[in-house]
Amino acid sequence: MSDSPAGSCCSVTSNGAVSAEGRKDLLASPSGAIAECPVMVGSAVVVADAEAAGLFRDYEGTRYYFCCAGCGPAFDADPAKYVAAA
């Protein structure tokens, strides 16, 4: 069973916000740029980590980064929906 909260695809709260512990980890991250996941809006993504893990998609000339593996397939199913919300 996953340690993820109910209602989320990854390690963020069900309302899409990054937990306090997650924010501390991101702020301490030396890897640089931070992006927002277009699927789990409010979830911060360390760009270098997402690149290394393949958690990104290119759509209409823009690269989108995801907070977890579950967000890529959701984005693929309807990218326009997530781009419009961004």
Side-chain angles (χ1 to χ4, degrees):
M1 178 169 224
S2 170
D3 292 335
S4 299
S8 74
C9 68
C10 53
S11 61
V12 295
T13 60
S14 60
N15 66 3
V18 177
S19 69
E21 189 63 33
R23 283 192 298 275
K24 284 195 297 188
D25 291 345
L26 288 171
L27 293 174
S29 175
S31 49
I34 304 293
E36 182 179 43
C37 178
V39 177
M40 294 292 291
V41 176
S43 294
V45 179
V46 177
V47 171
D49 293 348
E51 288 273 353
L55 297 175
F56 63 88
R57 300 290 192 275
D58 294 320
Y59 178 73
E60 294 187 346
T62 301
R63 180 157 284 185
Y64 296 90
Y65 299 95
F66 306 112
C67 59
C68 66
C71 289
F75 184 87
D76 292 341
D78 191 1
K81 170 185 170 183
Y82 298 107
V83 170

